[in-house]
Amino acid sequence: MGSFLIKSPLNIRNPNNHKTFMVNKPHKTKLSFVVPFTHSESTKIFEKKSDLEVWNSFNKGEEAAFNYIYRCYTPILFSVGMQITGNVDLVKDGIQNLFIDLRRKRGTLSEVVSIKSYLLKSLQRDLFRTMKKENSQSIQSIELPENAFLIEVSHETKVIQMESENEINTQLKQALNQLTPKQRQALILLYEEGMSYKEIAEVLEFNQVKTARKLVYRAIESLKQLLKN
Amino acid sequence: MKFKDYDIEHFLTDEFFIQWVKNPDENNQHFWEKWISEHPEKRQVVQKAASVIRSIQAEQNSGISDSMYVDMFENIIHANEWNRDQTYKADQSNPWFSIFSIRKIAATFVIGFCMWISYEGMIKGIKIESETLETMVVSKANPAGKKSILLLADGTKIHLNAASKISYPEVFDDNLRSVKLEGEAYFEVAKDGRPFIVSVGDNAINVLGTSFNVKENGDGLAVALVEGKVRVNDKRGNQVLLDPNEMLVIRKDGKFYKSGFDQMEIAGWKEMYLVFNKSSFEETTSKIEEWYGVEIEVKGKISKDWVYSGQYKGETLENVLRGISHTSGLKYELTGKKVKITKP
């Protein structure tokens, strides 16, 4: 989570936030009611717990659990949202509505085994709904846009890149981007996010894990020749 | 199918294999290392599959900005019943029941309370949260021509070069020391158990007690390690470890490479050494502009293969200009903060 820690703003995490706050404006210390835990505290409490435990604490109304969830998953939600629409405002609204809605339903939420896949699925649904509303003329607009989840083939962390390797990467990238957006999404979730087939099936709303496996198998099958060179 | 019968497409679809590549832990590490030594003929295909897995990533990999992160958090916390999108009401299976639920009433109180708090704050013209955010971060910026040395509470010493800016929290977090840099700085990080992270744009440099130089400009970022060990993460998820005397250069287009470096050339600035090492004309003039906070105007055509090498310690601008023009046949004219260089 190294790079994630950096991106999240220092200020929220700083335990002294509250101290300064209380010294300066004693009559407003009640604000800590809304944000009772700083980010670093919530991380310490929750990072060893299972998704189910974290989710249950959130469902019980623990603000620390919400802080933890927000901190861990907002960056990936944002990044995936941008891969779907490329529209910052849409993504921002989507993430906000998602969390507002979840907070409102606390106490009645059903159990969640993988928070990440649950949130991704929900955001995706919301984005589809909004996109559908926006261009209601096209009937089948619930499908992923053609240019969603384009793939980049990065160089591995090697010091010297050989020419031939560059070329293979370019070919691979082209081949990957010929796949369907859904296949690309599955590969990104599998390889970049390290998700299991079960989690991928949840994000893509497949009833069976098998369907997710097949989607990936077919994608890799079509790249096979290229990969063997 | 057994692993020994696997070809690249099988490895690429095997969960257990992917997990090892993505999140190696004691168990899978132990297994795969053993397995590869049992099946040396498979080493190559395993490496290739691992390399494919590591290199595939989303093209549109936008990181969320700090301001949006904070902004959304605030909006979520402060959201209330009345301005919420109508569609959510429609989602509810049993609206009547939940409207009267205790939870909901309690939530309304909490939300009302938040509104009151923010209202209070606004009336007095204070934006509560953003104000506390601002007071907590210390920012130091040097204009061109000025260098400074900062000593942080944890004992870390930072030499901040001219035309550079650094910001850090007044008090570091319990488990992390994090600073933000624009421009160039030399860090002597004090060891204290907490990692020290320098973020430069979308890149992060992770440190545990060490000395190194970071330079960022329009062309990219260069991290030069003098002693200790650092890890650099870029926005694409790449990670590079540096050993002493190694320099990592990340170009603007995301490409990166490692090289050696001349310590005097890279880090001499903090001891007031102004070093030119086969510098092009552009490099030379922009270095002088930054170092002395002057503007340089050029008259006449300077040849493309113009290079200059030289070293000055704590010299005046006049002396440096004299030295350069002496060896390269240029003429200079110094008036106040302006320098005119002419090719006769």
Side-chain angles (χ1 to χ4, degrees):
Chain A
M1 287 253 157
S3 59
F4 174 63
L5 287 175
I6 305 141
K7 289 207 165 163
S8 81
L10 307 164
N11 345 49
I12 291 190
R13 279 191 266 122
N14 201 308
N16 290 283
N17 230 356
H18 290 278
K19 236 179 268 162
T20 328
F21 186 72
M22 284 193 259
V23 173
N24 295 344
K25 304 175 197 64
H27 63 287
K28 278 176 205 144
T29 50
K30 281 274 173 75
L31 192 72
S32 59
F33 183 56
V34 186
V35 192
F37 284 88
T38 64
H39 271 17
S40 67
E41 282 170 71
S42 56
T43 310
K44 267 183 242 156
I45 299 170
F46 289 108
E47 69 193 356
K48 294 244 161 64
K49 295 194 174 176
S50 73
D51 275 21
L52 189 62
E53 287 172 292
V54 175
W55 192 254
N56 286 340
S57 305
F58 171 66
N59 195 22
K60 274 185 212 143
E62 279 180 42
E63 284 296 347
F66 166 68
N67 285 4
Y68 178 74
I69 292 172
Y70 182 81
R71 180 184 180 179
C72 288
Y73 301 108
T74 303
I76 176 173
L77 285 170
F78 183 79
S79 148
V80 168
M82 290 300 285
Q83 285 156 41
I84 296 177
T85 74
N87 179 335
V88 183
D89 296 328
L90 221 62
V91 176
K92 187 181 172 192
D93 284 350
I95 297 174
Q96 278 176 191
N97 289 341
L98 168 62
F99 280 120
I100 291 168
D101 195 39
L102 286 172
R103 285 170 63 83
R104 201 170 53 87
K105 286 181 180 159
R106 277 181 296 188
T108 57
L109 292 168
S110 47
E111 290 195 336
V112 161
V113 183
S114 163
I115 297 178
K116 190 163 156 185
S117 39
Y118 176 79
L119 293 176
L120 284 178
K121 172 183 72 181
S122 311
L123 176 67
Q124 183 160 304
R125 249 189 224 173
D126 181 80
L127 290 176
F128 278 164
R129 192 164 38 198
T130 327
M131 283 173 357
K132 209 174 159 189
K133 231 188 277 170
E134 278 186 358
N135 41 10
S136 46
Q137 298 95 326
S138 54
I139 320 133
Q140 233 59 37
S141 60
I142 194 151
E143 279 302 306
L144 279 167
E146 253 325 288
N147 59 353
F149 296 108
L150 287 177
I151 289 179
E152 177 70 54
V153 179
S154 77
H155 303 290
E156 261 209 274
T157 345
K158 278 188 201 138
V159 180
I160 301 155
Q161 256 107 46
M162 288 190 287
E163 281 293 310
S164 60
E165 198 182 323
N166 265 330
E167 194 164 307
I168 292 169
N169 280 353
T170 317
Q171 285 178 7
L172 185 58
K173 182 183 165 179
Q174 278 172 355
L176 282 161
N177 287 325
Q178 306 264 314
L179 300 171
T180 67
K182 209 160 216 168
Q183 283 177 320
R184 291 198 294 262
Q185 183 180 14
L187 290 183
I188 290 173
L189 295 176
L190 187 68
Y191 296 149
E192 194 175 7
E193 297 303 328
M195 280 188 164
S196 65
Y197 285 114
K198 199 172 165 216
E199 288 173 304
I200 295 172
E202 183 174 2
V203 177
L204 300 179
E205 308 209 41
F206 294 146
N207 292 328
Q208 291 178 306
V209 180
K210 204 163 70 181
T211 321
R213 281 183 197 278
K214 269 194 201 144
L215 186 72
V216 172
Y217 288 171
R218 279 211 199 101
I220 295 298
E221 188 68 26
S222 62
L223 300 173
K224 202 165 81 182
Q225 279 318 312
L226 189 63
L227 290 167
K228 283 193 174 154
N229 287 336
Chain B
M1 198 195 284
K2 291 278 228 175
F3 285 134
K4 69 176 170 51
D5 304 317
Y6 266 27
D7 210 337
I8 189 156
E9 69 270 25
H10 306 111
F11 284 113
L12 283 175
T13 48
D14 189 279
E15 244 170 343
F16 184 53
F17 180 77
I18 298 168
Q19 279 310 314
W20 169 57
V21 176
K22 291 301 293 182
N23 308 304
D25 62 28
E26 248 171 60
N27 297 326
N28 54 29
Q29 187 85 3
H30 187 252
F31 174 84
W32 284 106
E33 270 165 17
K34 274 239 149 68
W35 188 85
I36 293 169
S37 63
E38 290 282 302
H39 303 89
E41 75 283 359
K42 289 283 176 189
R43 180 179 292 273
Q44 217 186 342
V45 65
V46 163
Q47 275 174 353
K48 191 157 186 201
S51 150
V52 169
I53 290 171
R54 274 194 288 260
S55 61
I56 285 184
Q57 51 189 238
E59 190 178 78
Q60 163 77 269
N61 209 342
S62 9
I64 183 165
S65 68
D66 281 1
S67 63
M68 189 177 291
Y69 180 93
V70 179
D71 193 35
M72 290 199 314
F73 187 83
E74 227 179 301
N75 290 345
I76 292 164
I77 295 279
H78 291 155
N80 62 68
E81 290 294 305
W82 310 111
N83 61 10
R84 197 173 308 126
D85 200 280
Q86 283 295 345
T87 50
Y88 288 99
K89 298 234 165 92
D91 282 352
Q92 286 205 314
S93 45
N94 192 341
W96 289 109
F97 183 77
S98 56
I99 277 176
F100 295 110
S101 78
I102 294 190
R103 201 165 294 110
K104 196 135 197 184
I105 293 167
T108 315
F109 268 103
V110 172
I111 287 160
F113 190 75
C114 299
M115 281 176 66
W116 174 70
I117 293 279
S118 31
Y119 182 66
E120 274 277 289
M122 270 189 296
I123 281 196
K124 303 199 166 90
I126 309 158
K127 242 196 140 204
I128 307 165
E129 279 179 31
S130 62
E131 192 198 50
T132 38
L133 299 188
E134 274 156 32
T135 54
M136 293 312 299
V137 178
V138 183
S139 230
K140 297 262 181 207
N142 281 345
K146 193 190 168 217
K147 298 185 189 61
S148 54
I149 297 177
L150 311 168
L151 201 59
L152 306 188
D154 67 336
T156 293
K157 195 172 175 188
I158 303 175
H159 302 256
L160 187 63
N161 206 344
S164 302
K165 185 183 166 189
I166 195 153
S167 49
Y168 48 90
E170 209 175 314
V171 181
F172 281 125
D173 199 271
D174 284 349
N175 38 28
L176 182 72
R177 296 171 289 170
S178 173
V179 304
K180 260 193 184 165
L181 172 73
E182 291 163 41
E184 181 168 25
Y186 185 91
F187 293 85
E188 291 167 40
V189 176
K191 268 190 192 151
D192 81 346
R194 292 175 293 181
F196 191 96
I197 295 180
V198 185
S199 346
V200 189
D202 292 322
N203 305 291
I205 301 148
N206 293 266
V207 190
L208 278 163
T210 207
S211 299
F212 60 102
N213 191 74
V214 183
K215 181 178 188 177
E216 170 251 348
N217 58 25
D219 303 329
L221 168 72
V223 183
L225 182 62
V226 175
E227 59 173 80
K229 197 142 189 112
V230 305
R231 193 177 77 214
V232 182
N233 292 80
D234 73 4
K235 63 176 168 189
R236 298 178 172 197
N238 293 310
Q239 179 173 313
V240 181
L241 277 174
L242 285 184
D243 285 322
N245 297 319
E246 283 185 331
M247 177 161 79
L248 173 72
V249 178
I250 303 178
R251 296 200 328 223
K252 212 179 167 185
D253 59 8
K255 300 234 168 72
F256 54 86
Y257 60 90
K258 261 194 212 176
S259 69
F261 66 93
D262 179 65
Q263 203 163 317
M264 182 60 90
E265 186 190 354
I266 298 298
W269 61 268
K270 70 183 166 66
E271 265 90 48
M272 301 307 287
Y273 280 100
L274 174 58
V275 182
F276 302 97
N277 189 1
K278 295 190 194 119
S279 305
S280 70
F281 187 71
E282 285 71 33
E283 281 164 6
T284 306
T285 49
S286 68
K287 221 167 191 175
I288 293 174
E289 284 181 323
E290 253 176 39
W291 193 276
Y292 293 101
V294 293
E295 259 177 61
I296 295 179
E297 189 194 331
V298 186
K299 285 244 164 108
K301 257 216 151 152
I302 311 286
S303 138
K304 262 195 191 150
D305 2 295
W306 190 99
V307 285
Y308 180 71
S309 299
Q311 195 171 306
Y312 299 88
K313 186 174 183 188
E315 279 300 351
T316 60
L317 173 61
E318 182 93 42
N319 281 344
V320 174
L321 290 172
R322 192 176 295 143
I324 295 175
S325 53
H326 209 76
T327 47
S328 56
L330 298 174
K331 283 218 160 97
Y332 72 91
E333 208 177 295
L334 175 63
T335 31
K337 288 271 166 201
K338 296 227 181 243
V339 179
K340 200 190 266 178
I341 292 182
T342 39
K343 165 110 194 173

